[in-house]
Amino acid sequence: MIIKTSNLTKRYDTQAAVNNLNLEIRAGEIFGLLGPNGAGKTTTILMLLGLTEPSEGSATIAGYNPTTEPLEVKRIVGYLPDSVGFYEDLTGRENLRYTARLNNLPPAKGEQRIDYLLQRVGLTKVQDQPVGTYSRGMRQRLGIADALVKDPTIVILDEPTLGIDPEGTREVLAVIRQLAQQDGRTVLLSSHLLHQMQEICDRVGIFVRGKLLACGAIDTLGDQVLAHEPQQIEIRAQPVDRRQVELIAAIAGVETVERDQDGLIVTASRDVRAELSKTLIEANYSLVHLRQRGRELDDIYRRYFARQEVS
């Protein structure tokens, strides 16, 4: 585990921006912090970077404590904030050159690194244009290059696709995916955009009001949300008749079978999809559709918010 927090907490007066966060991120994975604005994602990132001190608890980044060893952390972590700051009248290359000097890279090595990074993020053709002329997507890609100048082990990206058009988003996500898959870097990605997190993250943590409510691979989050609740399964099989309903109702764990506009809704105390498929196919029914409700990331995300509002 290259990033680890233990009961990490940040309070402002009596308000907890981050509340007892216990998080473990593996080396080489893309981990997504998923939550709305104000959930505590950025505050968590600032504590991991040593830019703000926790009220309680602790964090380690590759074995370093960000609070007591901030310089060691900054040497191995590249950071892209949600609002990228560049010198508008300088070119993309000149901005990266400035960052290289701040990181004490020898001039020749710095230029070599800049050449590589500009090609890597697809900005070679505009490298000599002022950054003030760049689109939002181009600035984000330059921001990723800027975070990579010192060749960090870990890259932390805060809302990297916010405000970017679809084509720019596709380009930024492709670069982020390469950071882990080709470079072997660890990527911590903060966002509130569900489908993008689902597309590139190995694991996701759902973060609401300072609390980590669920954490894991996307296909396991549904089990965490609905661990003690009945499961609902949509099923369509032809022909629809009374015998089909009776066969399904006889499966162990099935509680109710109700007709829907397009088929049947099965409520069960456990996952009975395998038995449903086997039973109907062996009885010579044609299985058209089988889906477990509430297990997709959109459903899970909305469900957590509903629970948070109630609590």
Side-chain angles (χ1 to χ4, degrees):
M1 296 298 173
I2 197 166
I3 298 175
K4 187 173 182 179
T5 70
S6 178
N7 297 320
L8 191 65
T9 300
K10 181 65 177 180
R11 293 192 185 91
Y12 296 100
D13 295 326
T14 59
Q15 181 68 36
V18 177
N19 192 355
N20 290 316
L21 176 63
N22 292 290
L23 182 65
E24 293 184 338
I25 299 176
R26 305 183 186 106
E29 76 172 332
I30 301 178
F31 186 93
L33 272 183
L34 175 62
N37 294 331
K41 305 187 301 297
T42 299
T43 301
T44 298
I45 289 172
L46 294 178
M47 286 191 285
L48 293 177
L49 292 169
L51 297 176
T52 188
E53 294 187 5
S55 304
E56 296 176 13
S58 62
T60 56
I61 310 294
Y64 296 113
N65 185 320
T67 302
T68 60
E69 302 169 292
L71 293 180
E72 285 78 3
V73 169
K74 290 177 176 64
R75 288 189 182 101
I76 61 171
V77 178
Y79 174 46
L80 176 66
D82 58 352
S83 180
V84 190
F86 289 112
Y87 291 101
E88 302 283 313
D89 56 339
L90 297 183
T91 67
R93 172 174 286 277
E94 288 169 338
N95 271 280
L96 294 183
R97 186 178 292 148
Y98 180 66
T99 299
R101 290 174 58 193
L102 288 177
N103 284 277
N104 296 319
L105 266 68
K109 183 178 180 181
E111 291 302 313
Q112 184 181 24
R113 181 76 180 156
I114 290 168
D115 286 339
Y116 167 73
L117 291 173
L118 286 168
Q119 186 275 330
R120 181 76 181 272
V121 300
L123 292 177
T124 303
K125 292 183 179 179
V126 296
Q127 62 180 321
D128 295 321
Q129 294 181 15
V131 171
T133 66
Y134 284 17
S135 67
R136 169 77 177 177
M138 292 163 63
R139 292 170 68 96
Q140 290 299 94
R141 283 184 282 146
L142 183 64
I144 293 175
D146 189 78
L148 294 175
V149 164
K150 57 186 170 185
D151 197 16
T153 304
I154 301 165
V155 182
I156 298 179
L157 310 172
D158 195 356
E159 297 283 1
T161 60
L162 185 64
I164 304 179
D165 61 44
E167 179 61 22
T169 295
R170 185 192 64 78
E171 294 170 346
V172 170
L173 292 179
V175 173
I176 294 172
R177 190 179 293 109
Q178 292 171 5
L179 296 178
Q181 295 179 354
Q182 294 184 18
D183 299 1
R185 305 181 200 272
T186 303
V187 180
L188 173 58
L189 174 66
S190 161
S191 181
H192 67 280
L193 302 172
L194 309 182
H195 62 284
Q196 295 175 14
M197 300 286 270
Q198 192 168 18
E199 182 179 344
I200 65 170
C201 291
D202 299 305
R203 292 191 302 138
V204 170
I206 298 181
F207 211 55
V208 178
R209 295 188 181 178
K211 293 183 178 181
L212 188 68
L213 300 182
C215 180
I218 289 171
D219 59 1
T220 70
L221 293 178
D223 293 332
Q224 296 181 44
V225 178
L226 303 173
H228 304 293
E229 298 184 15
Q231 300 190 28
Q232 283 197 323
I233 301 166
E234 300 173 359
I235 187 165
R236 291 201 303 272
Q238 300 295 333
V240 179
D241 55 23
R242 179 179 294 181
R243 178 169 172 261
Q244 180 187 149
V245 174
E246 292 173 348
L247 287 170
I248 294 173
I251 296 173
V254 171
E255 297 177 352
T256 62
V257 182
E258 299 178 357
R259 291 189 181 276
D260 194 19
Q261 183 177 0
D262 298 319
L264 300 173
I265 303 297
V266 178
T267 302
S269 60
R270 61 185 183 87
D271 188 353
V272 296
R273 285 175 294 174
E275 289 99 323
L276 278 173
S277 302
K278 183 173 184 293
T279 298
L280 294 180
I281 291 172
E282 288 181 349
N284 295 320
Y285 286 90
S286 176
L287 188 59
V288 178
H289 173 77
L290 184 68
R291 175 181 175 269
Q292 201 167 25
R293 281 187 173 180
R295 300 295 169 130
E296 296 179 359
L297 191 55
D298 282 351
D299 299 327
I300 296 166
Y301 194 63
R302 287 193 298 267
R303 190 177 187 89
Y304 270 122
F305 280 0
R307 287 186 172 183
Q308 186 69 13
E309 292 297 330
V310 169
S311 63

